[in-house]
Structure formats: structure tokens, C-alpha cells
Amino acid sequence: MRRIETNGYSLEVGSIIESSFSNLLKQKYADSKKVILVDENTHANCLSYIITNFSELSEAEVIMLPAGEDSKQMELTYSVWEALTEYGITRFDLIINLGGGVITDMGGFIASCYKRGCDFINIPTSLLAMVDASIGGKTGINLGHFKNQLGVFSNPVALYIDPVFLSTLPGKEVLSGFGEMIKHGLIADAELYNAVRDEMLHGETLEEDILVRCIEVKNEVVKQDPKESGLRKILNFGHTVGHVIEGHFLPTLKLSHGHSIAIGMVMEAYISMKRVGLSVSDYEELATFILGQYQLPEFSDEDIKSMLSMLQNDKKNRADKILCCLIPALGECVYDQEVDEQMFLETFMHFKNLQVNLN
Amino acid sequence: MRRIETNGYSLEVGSIIESSFSNLLKQKYADSKKVILVDENTHANCLSYIITNFSELSEAEVIMLPAGEDSKQMELTYSVWEALTEYGITRFDLIINLGGGVITDMGGFIASCYKRGCDFINIPTSLLAMVDASIGGKTGINLGHFKNQLGVFSNPVALYIDPVFLSTLPGKEVLSGFGEMIKHGLIADAELYNAVRDEMLHGETLEEDILVRCIEVKNEVVKQDPKESGLRKILNFGHTVGHVIEGHFLPTLKLSHGHSIAIGMVMEAYISMKRVGLSVSDYEELATFILGQYQLPEFSDEDIKSMLSMLQNDKKNRADKILCCLIPALGECVYDQEVDEQMFLETFMHFKNLQVNLN
């Protein structure tokens, strides 16, 4: 059990059975009603593990949502608020989010807006949620196809990250989580990047030390800048291009978030090489490694035109400039870098031609 | 222009033309888009005053909602989020809430959840919003008939309270605001209570000093306890019974919030006399004064039964006890007082008989 210091809540990595969870339930929430929010997958694969091991939850209400990003909308969110109201949940009760990023994002938002804020605990079950989504207080839902358009900054009372749940994940989901782990290395810790790469290339089961280090990177950044007024923006490395790739290919390829971000990182590393001095050898090494793990999607001139137009609408832009994070070296990141449309066009063209060569 | 010290935002009472509003728009929001949220009434009666006097707002988008408590639901809230998205509003832009409590509550919630928090300014136009709703960071909307069931604590960037808008109000609205002003006196400042009473009995136009003092009472309480874990509960004096009266008579009498709270205060003062030593003479004086201004609704045994059952479901209750604020003396208030159902029954019976005698 590893305890990581945060801004005012409890973050523990390791077996939840040995964590402070049981004591917290017994002490702070003895008289509170408990609600567990799950999706179809965690209802089938994770809920019984929790219920069996924690008798304090024997009378908890369980609310189940359909799995997947499509659930992350107001209609279902509102139906959960109605259910909480029906169960007579007060602001002294507790909501436990047991699931991947959709459940922790959405459940955090639901709890934070219910009666102006009800306590919640996150138990992430996907690798992506463990190393990224569940940490840092970003909660939210989508508005139509605008991702996380509605939300608040709000931290859980406690966050328990138990690798036991990783065995319930399909390979695509694990690969998606690794995308964000690569990012944590690239922006903050070259040694971590090397360790993640070695793990992906040669590892069997994920080393807990690497998981902990990834969580520490995310936690350190959000501790210093909880509301993303500066430093926290480095966590968006790979996301300017990555979000566009994710959105553009959603109807056809359905790339996972981590997969899209991985491709985005290679492209933004390419821009970093052209603009802020990332060495050619470092760029080539990381591009070869990442594109070996995450297939580069094929795209046409028409796709490029559409992606360039999406870039103009990015949430991180200010006063119509496209802002991007770049890495001058492995383990270093600079944010709020203005990149013009021409550079993005050149980058997309480079990877379009690379795609032809890879085939 | 009076500046009142708050927790980190600007609160000014007096003519908005002489306030810091124009400078704030010019300096902090020069490059930001502005959106003004109004209802039908403030669109007709207040908007042109603001637009004419502040050229910085000449290109502001205006979003108008239907007037009244029925608007304070998710459906309209969501349509405002869609409109903000359509206008391309970013989290660096500004929302200005121009209206009564429905607009400031709802607009604060809308801004606070949009892209995880967009700046907002409150310009309350009703007396009730000036002395109560717009101060203290409570934002929210109703869920069906559950009042303020969804919301967050979130302060505006600035709050401008300009009595000029009071002239746009119908008498019923002014009377409603006075209800909360009486409360501020009764719970915290006997001298203020006397001043509010004299103003209501003999005044012509509302003295700005009294308005300022009421705002100070509310502001001092919420500064000390922003999230209502203790002291702030005294602001609920009159509200345990008042909310039940407001809800129960909504379909028939449509009593205003302040009117319902005024009746609630008389009844809770009656309980205070029976339970915590409020003197008979103080009780009789305030009951005579308040019931002279706010008509006591007629109610039957059937009404009493229904109101008692509503009391059991009050949001302030914990572990099935009915909690209430009581006043041991004018200008003093104690919170979290357990009052049993029998006492409420006795109180309702007393006022049922009083009603007969008043007629």
C-alpha cells in the first residue's frame, strides 16, 4: 500500500483490502447511506469484489449505467440525480464511483452538483482512469459531441487505485492507458518514459512501481496548478492533435482515447523537432516505438482538411490562436506554444506520406 | 458607492454607473466575449439601462429566459449551455446575470459548470436577490419540485447591487424582499430589525443604509461559514416552516418566498417563545407587526396534516430529526434545534385558531 500526498484527500495505490477504505466507511460514513455507481462492465466484473470484501457496503444502493462514452450525457446524469432523490440521499451521504474514466468523471460531477456537493470516492478500474482521469479533480460530462463541456473541479474524499481490477480489462483498454503513461514520461521524466517503453516492449504484468510513478507525475502537476492556469497544461501534450484524431475517426475507426493521444504525441513531437529543438534521434526513436504500438490511421487530403478545421475550434485556444504543448527534450514540456496552421498542414502531410511508406 | 469586504470578490452597493464595473470590463474582459442572461422582465425593464450606460457591452450576446420559478429547471439550463456553445463562449469569457434570484441562482450554476467554470457577475434586480439570493455563493436549479436540488457553491467575480432597479418591481416583489430583511434583523441585529420595521410601517423609499446593513449581515455570516457547516444555518430561520408553507400553498395562493418566510418566522418565533425563552412581549410585538404586513393563509386540519408530512422531508434534517433555527431574543439565533412533531402540530393549531380570530 503506497500513500501519495495530495491536496487534501487520500490517495492510495495497492490492494484496496489493505487500504484505509474500510476504516473510512466505518468512521466517517457509519450513519450515511452509500450509493455505488457502476457501468455494465464493472457491475459484472468488479462490484462483487468490493461488496464481498467490505461488509459496510452490504446495504449500499447500486446505480448502473450503460458502458461507454455515449453514456456521458445530461440525460443519464439527470436520471441518476432523480434516483438519488428517490433514495432520499442527503448531502451527508456518500457516492462511490467504481469504473473507468466515464464513471469517475460523471460520478464526480453528479456528486459535486447534488445538493451543492455530496462526498464521493473514486475507485478507478481502467488503466486510463488509474493513471489519469480519476486524479486531479476534473469532473464532467459531454454536451452532444463537445467533450467535457459541462463539469466542475472537485476532488473526491479518497481515491483508491487497486491494480487487481486491471485483469478485468480487454487488451485495447490496457493499450489506451499506456498512451497516457507514455505521455507522463515524455513531459516530465525521461527515465519513466524509458521504463514504460521497456514494460510495453518486454514486460509481462505491469510493475506497480511504474504505475505509482505515473500517478505521482500527474498528482505533482495538478497539486501545483489545480485549475489549469499554467503548468497543468503540459498534461495536454499530444491532446491538441490527439483530440482531433479521436473525433475525426470516431465514426469509422473508433480509436481509443489513449491510442489517439499516442498518435497525437508523435505528431506533436514532430512539431517539437521542427520548432523547439527536440533532437532528431530522440524524435525518431519515440516515433518508431509509439507507431509500433499504436497503428497510424490512414488519411486522405479530405481528412486533413477536416482535421485542420477542427483544430481551429480547440477548447485550449484563446483569441483564435492554436495553442499546443511541445517537448524540447524527453522529459521536458513547454505549454501555450503558438503553432500556425501551415505547420499542422506540413505535419499531417508528413504522416500521410509516412503511412504510405509504412504499408 | 459602498464597498463591502468579501471572500475574494468585489461587492459594491450604490449606482452601478459609479462602480468598478466599467473598469473591470475594460481591463479584465477587454478581449472576452460577454453574455447577459435576463428574464422577460429584466429584458424589458433593466437591460437597456445597462447596455446604454456601458458601451463595453454593446456587442454582448443576450440570452432571455421566461420569468419565474418554473424556469429554474434543467431543460432551460441545458438550452443555455447549448446557446453558449453555439456562441463559441470559452472559459475566458464572461456571463452577466441581470435579474432576480432565479436568474442569479441559475446563471451562477450555468457559468460554474460551463467548461468547468467560467467567470460571472451578478447584478441583482429584485430586493430579495439584493439582500439574499445573490450573496453567498449558493447557485442552483430545482429538480422537479425539489428546490435547489442541483447546484454548486461558487462566487461571482463581482456583485453590483444598485437600488435603481427597485423602481421596476411590483409591490408584491418588494414585500417579498422585506421578508428576508426582517430575518436578517431578527437573527443578528435587533436594531436593524427595528429599522426595517419602521421603514415598512412609515418609510417612503428604502434607505440605502438599511439595505447596506442587511447585505452586511448576510455577507458576514457566509464569510465565516461559506459551505453551511455551522453558523450559516441561522440564515434558515423561518425557512423550516416557511418552505413548507410556500410549497403547500403554491398551487392555490402562490405566496412569494419572502411572504412564506415571514409567516414561517412568526411560527418559529412562537416555538422560540415556548422552547428557548423568547419573551412573550417580543414575540407578540413581532407577530403583530409581521402578520400586519403578510397575511396569514387560512388552513384546515387537512392542510396541517399535509404540512407536517412535508416537514419530515426537509433538506436540513439529519437522521430523521426535524431541525430548526430558533431565536432566544431579538437579534440572536441558535441553529440545529431539534423540534418534535407535536410542537409543530401545536404551533399550526395555534395559528389556525388565530386565523379564525383575526377574521
Side-chain angles (χ1 to χ4, degrees):
Chain A
M1 180 55 48
R2 302 271 274 277
R3 290 194 170 71
I4 296 174
E5 204 200 319
T6 64
N7 279 347
Y9 65 96
S10 178
L11 196 179
E12 297 175 28
V13 187
S15 168
I16 193 168
I17 297 174
E18 293 159 27
S19 75
S20 63
F21 186 41
S22 171
N23 270 339
L24 186 65
L25 292 176
K26 279 199 193 80
Q27 286 162 12
K28 193 167 176 189
Y29 301 103
D31 294 334
S32 302
K33 291 179 190 154
K34 287 102 182 165
V35 176
I36 307 176
L37 190 66
V38 292
D39 68 13
E40 293 153 317
N41 295 332
T42 57
H43 184 266
N45 301 317
C46 309
L47 183 62
S48 71
Y49 185 81
I50 293 292
I51 301 272
T52 317
N53 283 295
F54 299 94
S55 58
E56 302 85 358
L57 296 176
S58 58
E59 293 183 8
E61 304 282 357
V62 174
I63 298 179
M64 184 176 78
L65 299 177
E69 187 78 14
D70 289 349
S71 294
K72 216 175 153 183
Q73 294 283 347
M74 182 53 79
E75 203 177 322
L76 273 174
T77 302
Y78 194 82
S79 72
V80 176
W81 281 322
E82 288 181 314
L84 295 175
T85 304
E86 208 166 289
Y87 293 147
I89 302 304
T90 74
R91 55 195 152 128
F92 308 105
D93 294 330
L94 178 69
I95 295 174
I96 298 166
N97 301 317
L98 180 68
V102 170
I103 290 292
T104 58
D105 279 11
M106 199 168 164
F109 180 61
I110 287 168
S112 302
C113 293
Y114 184 72
K115 301 194 178 212
R116 298 199 190 94
C118 171
D119 284 354
F120 66 101
I121 287 175
N122 281 342
I123 307 177
T125 57
S126 74
L127 183 56
L128 190 74
M130 290 184 193
V131 297
D132 191 23
S134 72
I135 308 162
K138 282 193 178 179
T139 73
I141 60 170
N142 304 333
L143 181 137
H145 62 283
F146 291 88
K147 286 191 70 169
N148 300 317
Q149 184 81 342
L150 306 177
V152 293
F153 285 99
S154 178
N155 277 318
V157 171
L159 167 52
Y160 299 107
I161 298 176
D162 187 343
V164 71
F165 296 115
L166 293 177
S167 63
T168 68
L169 295 177
K172 185 183 171 186
E173 282 297 312
V174 176
L175 197 64
S176 178
F178 266 111
E180 293 286 355
M181 291 170 73
I182 293 171
K183 184 195 76 183
H184 289 155
L186 285 177
I187 61 174
D189 183 342
E191 209 175 297
L192 175 63
Y193 165 70
N194 289 328
V196 172
R197 188 195 52 202
D198 291 350
E199 181 85 25
M200 288 186 80
L201 293 173
H202 315 296
E204 306 247 312
T205 58
L206 177 61
E207 294 279 342
E208 198 169 295
D209 282 352
I210 295 179
L211 186 66
V212 168
R213 184 66 197 117
C214 283
I215 293 163
E216 282 174 342
V217 166
K218 170 93 191 230
N219 181 54
E220 279 308 314
V221 171
V222 300
K223 256 168 74 180
Q224 286 179 57
D225 176 22
K227 294 211 170 170
E228 199 167 311
S229 36
L231 179 69
R232 184 170 180 159
K233 295 179 187 173
I234 66 172
L235 295 171
N236 292 322
F237 176 62
H239 284 61
T240 301
V241 174
H243 272 160
V244 163
I245 291 189
E246 191 174 4
H248 181 72
F249 292 106
L250 187 69
T252 50
L253 301 180
K254 290 193 203 312
L255 298 179
S256 72
H257 178 71
H259 190 136
S260 312
I261 295 319
I263 302 298
M265 285 192 285
V266 177
M267 294 194 184
E268 294 180 17
Y270 178 84
I271 299 174
S272 301
M273 177 178 68
K274 297 281 176 185
R275 287 288 156 87
V276 294
L278 177 66
S279 77
V280 176
S281 60
D282 279 345
Y283 165 70
E284 286 185 344
E285 187 282 325
L286 78 82
T288 308
F289 160 58
I290 296 177
L291 295 180
Q293 301 288 325
Y294 301 90
Q295 199 185 358
L296 183 65
E298 277 185 65
F299 44 80
S300 63
D301 288 344
E302 205 50 46
D303 291 324
I304 292 179
K305 206 173 145 192
S306 153
M307 290 192 287
L308 283 175
S309 131
M310 285 169 81
L311 272 172
Q312 298 286 0
N313 291 315
D314 191 86
K315 192 160 53 171
K316 293 177 288 298
N317 294 345
R318 194 166 176 173
D320 299 328
K321 291 164 186 162
I322 303 176
L323 296 178
C324 192
C325 297
L326 298 175
I327 51 169
L330 300 184
E332 283 176 33
C333 186
V334 288
Y335 57 85
D336 278 353
Q337 300 293 301
E338 263 182 56
V339 176
D340 56 32
E341 200 175 324
Q342 182 56 35
M343 183 72 244
F344 283 108
L345 174 60
E346 187 188 321
T347 305
F348 283 133
M349 289 308 292
H350 172 82
F351 284 90
K352 179 177 177 242
N353 296 329
L354 190 69
Q355 179 63 56
V356 174
N357 296 334
L358 285 176
N359 282 343
Chain B
M1 180 54 50
R2 302 271 274 277
R3 288 192 172 73
I4 295 174
E5 205 200 319
T6 64
N7 279 347
Y9 66 95
S10 179
L11 197 179
E12 297 175 29
V13 187
S15 168
I16 193 168
I17 298 174
E18 293 159 26
S19 76
S20 63
F21 187 41
S22 170
N23 270 340
L24 186 65
L25 292 176
K26 279 198 192 80
Q27 286 163 11
K28 193 166 175 189
Y29 300 104
D31 295 332
S32 301
K33 289 179 191 153
K34 288 102 183 165
V35 176
I36 306 176
L37 190 66
V38 293
D39 68 13
E40 294 152 317
N41 296 331
T42 57
H43 184 265
N45 302 318
C46 310
L47 183 63
S48 71
Y49 185 82
I50 292 291
I51 301 273
T52 318
N53 283 296
F54 299 94
S55 59
E56 301 86 357
L57 297 175
S58 58
E59 294 184 7
E61 304 282 357
V62 174
I63 298 179
M64 184 176 79
L65 299 177
E69 186 79 12
D70 289 349
S71 294
K72 215 175 154 184
Q73 293 283 348
M74 182 53 78
E75 203 176 324
L76 274 175
T77 303
Y78 195 82
S79 72
V80 177
W81 281 322
E82 288 181 314
L84 296 175
T85 304
E86 209 166 288
Y87 293 147
I89 303 303
T90 73
R91 55 195 152 127
F92 308 105
D93 294 330
L94 177 69
I95 295 174
I96 297 166
N97 301 317
L98 180 68
V102 170
I103 291 292
T104 58
D105 278 11
M106 198 168 164
F109 180 60
I110 287 169
S112 303
C113 293
Y114 184 71
K115 299 194 178 211
R116 298 201 191 92
C118 171
D119 284 355
F120 66 100
I121 287 176
N122 280 344
I123 307 176
T125 58
S126 75
L127 184 56
L128 189 74
M130 289 183 193
V131 297
D132 191 23
S134 72
I135 309 162
K138 282 192 178 180
T139 72
I141 59 171
N142 304 334
L143 181 138
H145 63 280
F146 291 88
K147 286 191 71 169
N148 301 317
Q149 183 82 342
L150 306 178
V152 293
F153 284 99
S154 177
N155 277 317
V157 170
L159 167 53
Y160 298 106
I161 297 176
D162 187 342
V164 71
F165 296 114
L166 292 177
S167 62
T168 67
L169 295 178
K172 185 183 171 184
E173 282 296 312
V174 176
L175 197 63
S176 178
F178 266 111
E180 293 286 355
M181 291 170 72
I182 293 171
K183 185 196 76 184
H184 291 154
L186 285 178
I187 60 173
D189 183 343
E191 207 174 298
L192 175 63
Y193 165 71
N194 289 327
V196 172
R197 187 196 51 203
D198 291 350
E199 181 85 26
M200 287 187 80
L201 293 174
H202 315 295
E204 305 248 312
T205 58
L206 178 60
E207 294 280 341
E208 199 169 296
D209 282 351
I210 295 178
L211 186 65
V212 167
R213 184 66 195 118
C214 283
I215 293 163
E216 281 173 345
V217 166
K218 169 95 191 227
N219 181 53
E220 279 307 316
V221 171
V222 300
K223 256 167 76 180
Q224 286 179 57
D225 176 23
K227 294 210 170 173
E228 199 166 311
S229 35
L231 179 70
R232 185 170 180 157
K233 294 179 188 174
I234 66 172
L235 296 170
N236 292 323
F237 176 62
H239 283 61
T240 301
V241 174
H243 272 159
V244 163
I245 291 191
E246 191 174 3
H248 181 73
F249 291 107
L250 188 69
T252 51
L253 301 180
K254 290 192 203 313
L255 297 179
S256 71
H257 178 71
H259 190 135
S260 312
I261 294 320
I263 302 298
M265 285 191 287
V266 177
M267 295 195 183
E268 294 180 17
Y270 178 83
I271 299 174
S272 300
M273 177 179 67
K274 297 282 177 186
R275 288 288 158 88
V276 294
L278 178 66
S279 76
V280 176
S281 61
D282 280 345
Y283 165 71
E284 286 184 343
E285 187 281 325
L286 78 83
T288 308
F289 159 59
I290 295 178
L291 295 179
Q293 301 287 325
Y294 301 90
Q295 198 185 356
L296 184 64
E298 278 186 64
F299 45 80
S300 63
D301 289 344
E302 204 52 45
D303 291 324
I304 293 178
K305 205 173 146 193
S306 153
M307 289 191 288
L308 284 175
S309 133
M310 285 170 80
L311 272 173
Q312 298 285 2
N313 292 316
D314 191 85
K315 193 160 52 171
K316 293 178 288 298
N317 294 346
R318 195 167 175 173
D320 300 327
K321 290 165 186 161
I322 303 176
L323 296 178
C324 192
C325 297
L326 299 175
I327 50 169
L330 301 184
E332 283 175 35
C333 187
V334 287
Y335 57 86
D336 279 353
Q337 302 293 302
E338 263 182 57
V339 177
D340 57 32
E341 201 175 324
Q342 183 55 37
M343 184 71 243
F344 284 108
L345 173 61
E346 186 188 322
T347 306
F348 284 133
M349 289 307 293
H350 172 82
F351 285 91
K352 181 180 174 238
N353 296 329
L354 190 68
Q355 179 63 54
V356 173
N357 295 334
L358 285 175
N359 282 344

